[in-house]
Amino acid sequence: MLSSVLRSRLWKVDLSVYRGSFKAERPFSSLRRAFSSTHSSFAESLDNGVTAPERIRNIAIIAHVDHGKTTLVDQLLRQSGTVKQLTATEQLLFTPTSSSSSSSSSINTTTSDSPIDDGFITRLMDSNDLERERGITILSKCTSVFYNGNLINIVDTPGHADFGGEVERIMSMVDGVALVVDATEGPMTQTRFVLAKALSRGLRPLVVLNKADRATSRPAQVESDLFDLFATLGATDEQADYPLLYASAKQGWAQDTLPTPSTDPASSNMTMTPLFELILKHVPAPSHLDRTAPFSMLTVQIESDPYVGMLLLGRVHSGILKPGDTLWALDPEGNKVGEGKVKKIFGRRGLERVERGVAGAGEMVSVAGVKTRSGAGVNLTLVHPEGWGDEGPQALPTTPIDPPTISVFVHANDSPLAGREGTKLTSQLIRERIYKEAETNVALTVLPGPTSESLELRGRGVLHLGVLLETLRREGYELGIGSPKAVMLPDPDPTRPGGKLEPIEECTVLVKEEYAGGVVQKLTMRKGEMVSYETEEDGWVKVVMEVPARGLIGYMAGEFKNDVHGQGTINHIFKGYEPYRGAIDTGRNGALISMAAGESSGYSMAPLQARGALFIHPQTQVYPGMVIGESAKSQDLYLNPCIKKQLTNIRAAGADEKIVLASPRIMTLEEALAYMGDDEIVEVTPGSIRLRKVVLDQAKRMRMKGGKK
C-alpha cells in the first residue's frame, strides 16, 4: 500500500479583542485594532452573504497532551490579526473576568490567571477554570481566522485519552487535520488514537513537528517513527504522503526545512505563514457539499447564550439557512425530537460570535431557536422539513464513539456532615444536572444505580469522571461517590474461564532507566503484559505494556510518581476488550478510622503519627467511620483524634512538650477515587473531600465481615 510513497519520499533530517474589562475613559470599541486587509478580504469572500465554498477551510488541531496544540492556535490567532496586542497602558488597565465553571464550551471568557506574553494573552482557547488550573484542554472549541481572503475554521481538541470523545465528535466538522507532534517525544499514545480517527474518516493530515528549536529535538527519528505509525494504522498512499513542517509554536514560526542552531527567528523574519499557506494548499475546500439541496446540519456541540438561549453548533452539510426558516431535529435513528424557527445564526470571527444573515454548506455556525426534548443534545440532525422527496428528511450519519471503560456510582451525600457546605443536596437535583451533562458529553453514559437514589456514571477514565464530579462540586452539589470499577462485558466464548471480558489499556511509560524495573514490576503485578522495551537517549527508557484498566486505577494517581521520583510520564489508551485476567492484589495498607465525632486536635494527633500517614489537619471535623489516614499495617485501626488536653488549675511540674505534626497527605478528587477501597465512599462537598466507610458503624461493619469486635 505504501510502496509508492516509500519510493518517492526522502527523509529530511478584529477582528475581536480579548475579553476583559478596561477601566479606560475611552469607549471599549476604540481599543480595537483595524486590520484593513482582513476587512476587505472578508468582504471579497462573500457570495450573496454566504462565504464562497472555495474560500473555506475547516481543520482540527490534534495531538498528544502537552505537544503544543493550544499554543499553536494562539500564534495563528495572533499572526492572522484576529487578536490585538495590548499596549503597556492597556496591560495595566486590563482586568480579566472570571470564567464560569459550567460545562459550556463557549470561549467567551478569559480567566484571571491568563498570563500575558509580549502583550498577548496566552492560552486563549482554554477558557474553562479547570483547564486553566490543570494546564490541559478538556473541551473541543472552535475559532475562525481570515487569511488572504480565506476563512479558516480551527477546532482545538484535548490531548488526554480520557477526553477522546471530544476529538471523535468533531471529526465530522472538518475536512483536514493538523497533527502536532513533539520533536523530542515523538508519537505517543494519544497521537496514535487521534491519527487513527482521522485516517478512518479519510482525512489527509498535515504534520507539524513542534518544539523543533529545542536542543533535545530529534526530528529524523521522530519522523521515521511517525511514518511507521502511518503504516501501522493502514494509511493509504495519499494519506501517508503527508506534508511536514518544523515549527516552534512558542516562538511563533514554522518552515519546511529544519532550522540550524544558529538561526534567530526574530532576525530571520520567521512566522507562521508557511503553515497558513500549507493549510490553504493541502486541506480541501468543502466544495463537494451541495448548497442547492435542502438544509441539513449535524450538531456536535451545545452552547448557551444569555439572550437567545440554547445554541446548536455544527457544520452545514447541505443547503442554505436563513433566520425564520423552520427546522426539525432528528435523532440518530431518524426520529423527530424537536422543531422550531431559526431565531439567530452565529458565525465566529476570532473569539467572538458574530450574527449572520445567512449561512451555506461548509460553514460552521451556531443556530438558535430549535427546541428539543429533554435528553436530546449532540449528534442531532437539523433539517428543513421540505424538499426531500418521497423518503422525507433523513438523519446524517454520526461518528461512532468508543465505549466507556470505567464506572462509578454516585448518590446524594448522606454523611453526618451533609448539608453544611453545599446548596444542592437532593438526589433529584443531582439527577437532573447529570442528565443535562450527558446531553453534551458524548463519552459519558448514565445508567440507573442499584437504588432509586443513585446513578451509575460510565466514562473513559478516572480523569474524565473526576473532571465532571469536580465541576458539580464547584456548582454547590454534595455527592457520595463509590469506588471506580472497570466496565465488564459477558464473554461470548463459554469455554474460557472467568466468563467475562475486561477493557485493556495500552500503557506507554517514559522513565529513567534506573526506575524502569520497579514500574514494570508494579504493572506486571497488575496483570500487565510487556509489548516493547526501548532504550532512548540520555538514559531514558520507553516501555509499552498492555494492562487491564482496573489495574491502572490505583497506580497512576500517586504510586507511579513515587516509583519514578518525579522523572517519568505514563499515558494510556483504550486497546479493546479481552478475556478476564484474574484478580489483582494491589496490597494497599489498612485505614486509620475515626471512632469519635468532633474536631481533631494536635494534642491527640501527635502520638497517632506512629500508626501511619494522616489525611487531615488539626481542627478538622470528623465523625465515626471517617478515614483519617493510612495505617502502616494491613489491618484497619480505630483511633480517636479528638482528645483534648485536660486543663486544671494545678500548675504542672515540667514544661509542656512541643507538638510537632508532619504535613498530612491531602488528596485531590482523582487521587481519592483512585486510592479508595471497595468498602469506602468519597464524600464530595464544595469545601471538602473526605474518605469514609460505606457502613459507618464499627460493630455493624465487623459483623458484616464475619470477624470479632
Side-chain angles (χ1 to χ4, degrees):
M1 180 182 294
L2 303 176
S3 58
S4 62
V5 180
L6 288 170
R7 288 195 301 266
S8 63
R9 188 173 184 85
L10 296 178
W11 299 111
K12 47 187 179 183
V13 188
D14 169 283
L15 294 178
S16 68
V17 296
Y18 298 114
R19 287 289 187 177
S21 58
F22 289 86
K23 300 176 181 178
E25 296 297 328
R26 53 188 176 142
F28 186 73
S29 59
S30 65
L31 296 175
R32 298 176 181 236
R33 171 184 287 180
F35 296 94
S36 57
S37 61
T38 302
H39 284 292
S40 61
S41 300
F42 174 63
E44 294 170 0
S45 67
L46 295 181
D47 180 14
N48 296 325
V50 185
T51 307
E54 61 273 11
R55 294 281 193 171
I56 300 174
R57 299 295 186 276
N58 299 317
I59 187 170
I61 311 295
I62 59 176
H64 185 76
V65 62
D66 289 335
H67 280 198
K69 299 179 304 299
T70 303
T71 307
L72 183 68
V73 175
D74 282 348
Q75 288 292 345
L76 296 178
L77 289 170
R78 295 181 192 181
Q79 297 191 24
S80 65
T82 305
V83 295
K84 69 182 292 290
Q85 183 178 21
L86 304 180
T87 65
T89 303
E90 290 170 348
Q91 292 181 45
L92 293 175
L93 297 176
F94 186 76
T95 307
T97 57
S98 177
S99 69
S100 171
S101 60
S102 68
S103 61
S104 171
S105 54
S106 172
I107 53 175
N108 290 337
T109 53
T110 303
T111 53
S112 58
D113 59 345
S114 303
I116 295 180
D117 176 27
D118 193 26
F120 291 99
I121 298 180
T122 62
R123 292 175 56 201
L124 287 165
M125 303 296 286
D126 288 346
S127 59
N128 185 280
D129 282 341
L130 288 175
E131 292 177 322
R132 289 283 180 177
E133 292 172 11
R134 297 167 185 254
I136 61 176
T137 301
I138 296 175
L139 303 168
S140 294
K141 307 177 193 70
C142 303
T143 187
S144 299
V145 300
F146 287 95
Y147 178 77
N148 288 346
N150 296 280
L151 172 64
I152 303 177
N153 295 314
I154 302 172
V155 184
D156 186 25
T157 63
H160 277 84
D162 285 33
F163 308 114
E166 293 288 317
V167 181
E168 292 170 303
R169 69 171 180 164
I170 60 91
M171 283 297 178
S172 63
M173 295 178 63
V174 298
D175 303 299
V177 294
L179 179 66
V180 182
V181 182
D182 191 305
T184 300
E185 288 189 352
M188 299 293 286
T189 53
Q190 186 68 357
T191 308
R192 180 189 184 98
F193 172 80
V194 296
L195 180 58
K197 295 298 181 183
L199 296 178
S200 66
R201 290 193 61 87
L203 302 178
R204 293 178 55 205
L206 61 91
V207 176
V208 178
L209 284 191
N210 194 26
K211 306 180 185 179
D213 58 311
R214 293 189 174 182
T216 58
S217 66
R218 46 193 187 97
Q221 181 61 43
V222 169
E223 187 176 357
S224 177
D225 295 342
L226 188 59
F227 191 75
D228 290 343
L229 179 59
F230 271 77
T232 303
L233 296 177
T236 64
D237 287 356
E238 186 181 38
Q239 290 173 326
D241 192 16
Y242 53 84
L244 184 142
L245 292 178
Y246 303 95
S248 172
K250 187 174 182 179
Q251 296 182 1
W253 58 264
Q255 60 184 42
D256 57 3
T257 58
L258 188 64
T260 61
S262 59
T263 304
D264 183 8
S267 60
S268 303
N269 197 27
M270 298 164 62
T271 65
M272 285 289 176
T273 299
L275 180 55
F276 281 117
E277 296 293 341
L278 183 58
I279 291 174
L280 296 179
K281 177 182 177 181
H282 185 73
V283 178
S287 303
H288 62 286
L289 301 179
D290 187 3
R291 291 189 171 182
T292 62
F295 171 82
S296 64
M297 183 182 85
L298 181 67
T299 65
V300 300
Q301 197 166 290
I302 293 182
E303 302 173 329
S304 61
D305 185 274
Y307 299 103
V308 297
M310 182 177 69
L311 298 171
L312 300 176
L313 171 67
R315 185 182 73 163
V316 181
H317 185 266
S318 64
I320 299 290
L321 181 67
K322 298 179 180 179
D325 288 351
T326 299
L327 297 182
W328 287 2
L330 307 179
D331 64 12
E333 289 74 34
N335 302 314
K336 181 180 175 182
V337 294
E339 64 178 313
K341 284 191 175 182
V342 177
K343 295 180 180 178
K344 300 280 186 180
I345 304 173
F346 293 99
R348 273 194 169 80
R349 296 184 192 173
L351 307 181
E352 291 187 334
R353 295 194 191 103
V354 179
E355 187 172 348
R356 298 284 303 276
V358 62
E363 297 186 82
M364 293 186 186
V365 294
S366 299
V367 180
V370 180
K371 297 181 179 180
T372 62
R373 62 171 173 80
S374 177
V378 298
N379 287 336
L380 295 180
T381 300
L382 300 184
V383 296
H384 194 280
E386 299 176 354
W388 295 96
D390 297 336
E391 295 183 356
Q394 302 293 321
L396 296 174
T398 61
T399 303
I401 304 296
D402 286 348
T405 58
I406 301 296
S407 71
V408 297
F409 291 101
V410 299
H411 56 79
N413 185 20
D414 58 356
S415 80
L417 301 181
R420 298 193 179 188
E421 299 176 356
T423 56
K424 300 169 184 176
L425 311 175
T426 65
S427 59
Q428 181 63 27
L429 291 175
I430 296 172
R431 182 184 300 272
E432 292 175 356
R433 176 63 181 86
I434 290 178
Y435 274 111
K436 181 180 179 182
E437 177 70 22
E439 296 177 7
T440 58
N441 194 335
V442 293
L444 178 69
T445 302
V446 183
L447 301 173
T451 66
S452 60
E453 303 296 319
S454 64
L455 292 172
E456 180 184 2
L457 306 184
R458 293 185 176 182
R460 288 288 183 84
V462 173
L463 180 60
H464 176 212
L465 296 175
V467 166
L468 167 61
L469 298 171
E470 178 68 25
T471 301
L472 297 182
R473 173 193 174 202
R474 297 186 180 201
E475 294 176 2
Y477 291 88
E478 289 197 9
L479 305 168
I481 307 169
S483 59
K485 304 287 185 183
V487 178
M488 302 290 185
L489 298 178
D491 192 344
D493 187 356
T495 61
R496 282 195 291 242
K500 52 188 175 183
L501 303 177
E502 66 174 340
I504 303 296
E505 302 279 333
E506 182 182 286
C507 186
T508 302
V509 182
L510 190 63
V511 63
K512 281 289 188 179
E513 190 170 7
E514 56 264 34
Y515 306 129
V519 174
V520 172
Q521 181 183 8
K522 291 287 185 69
L523 293 178
T524 303
M525 292 172 56
R526 288 163 168 79
K527 306 298 182 181
E529 298 177 358
M530 183 176 294
V531 177
S532 65
Y533 186 99
E534 301 175 5
T535 302
E536 305 283 347
E537 299 177 0
D538 301 327
W540 288 87
V541 171
K542 182 178 180 180
V543 183
V544 179
M545 300 187 68
E546 294 178 357
V547 188
R550 55 194 171 96
L552 293 175
I553 292 175
Y555 184 66
M556 294 184 58
E559 199 171 339
F560 173 77
K561 298 177 184 177
N562 295 332
D563 290 344
V564 302
H565 299 264
Q567 300 186 68
T569 60
I570 182 170
N571 297 282
H572 64 94
I573 189 170
F574 175 68
K575 177 180 180 289
Y577 274 87
E578 296 183 4
Y580 183 68
R581 295 188 179 181
I584 296 177
D585 182 14
T586 57
R588 198 197 90 173
N589 290 340
L592 301 180
I593 306 171
S594 173
M595 56 187 299
E599 187 180 81
S600 61
S601 67
Y603 175 80
S604 178
M605 292 171 61
L608 300 183
Q609 296 181 107
R611 302 292 187 181
L614 298 177
F615 296 163
I616 61 172
H617 290 282
Q619 287 84 50
T620 299
Q621 290 292 329
V622 299
Y623 52 83
M626 177 176 165
V627 178
I628 62 172
E630 180 178 343
S631 174
K633 299 182 179 180
S634 59
Q635 297 85 12
D636 292 344
L637 293 179
Y638 298 88
L639 310 172
N640 185 354
C642 303
I643 299 175
K644 301 290 194 297
K645 183 177 181 180
Q646 300 298 320
L647 303 178
T648 68
N649 59 354
I650 300 176
R651 184 175 182 179
D656 290 341
E657 294 183 4
K658 183 179 180 180
I659 298 176
V660 179
L661 295 176
S663 298
R665 178 184 173 186
I666 305 299
M667 292 186 286
T668 63
L669 178 55
E670 287 83 18
E671 291 172 341
L673 289 174
Y675 175 83
M676 65 189 299
D678 294 341
D679 63 339
E680 294 170 346
I681 289 177
V682 174
E683 177 189 351
V684 177
T685 67
S688 306
I689 297 175
R690 307 182 186 95
L691 196 61
R692 48 159 282 196
K693 293 295 182 181
V694 176
V695 179
L696 297 178
D697 184 74
Q698 177 183 351
K700 185 177 180 181
R701 205 160 50 243
M702 289 293 188
R703 289 194 299 270
M704 292 176 63
K705 289 182 178 181
K708 297 182 180 179
K709 183 177 178 179

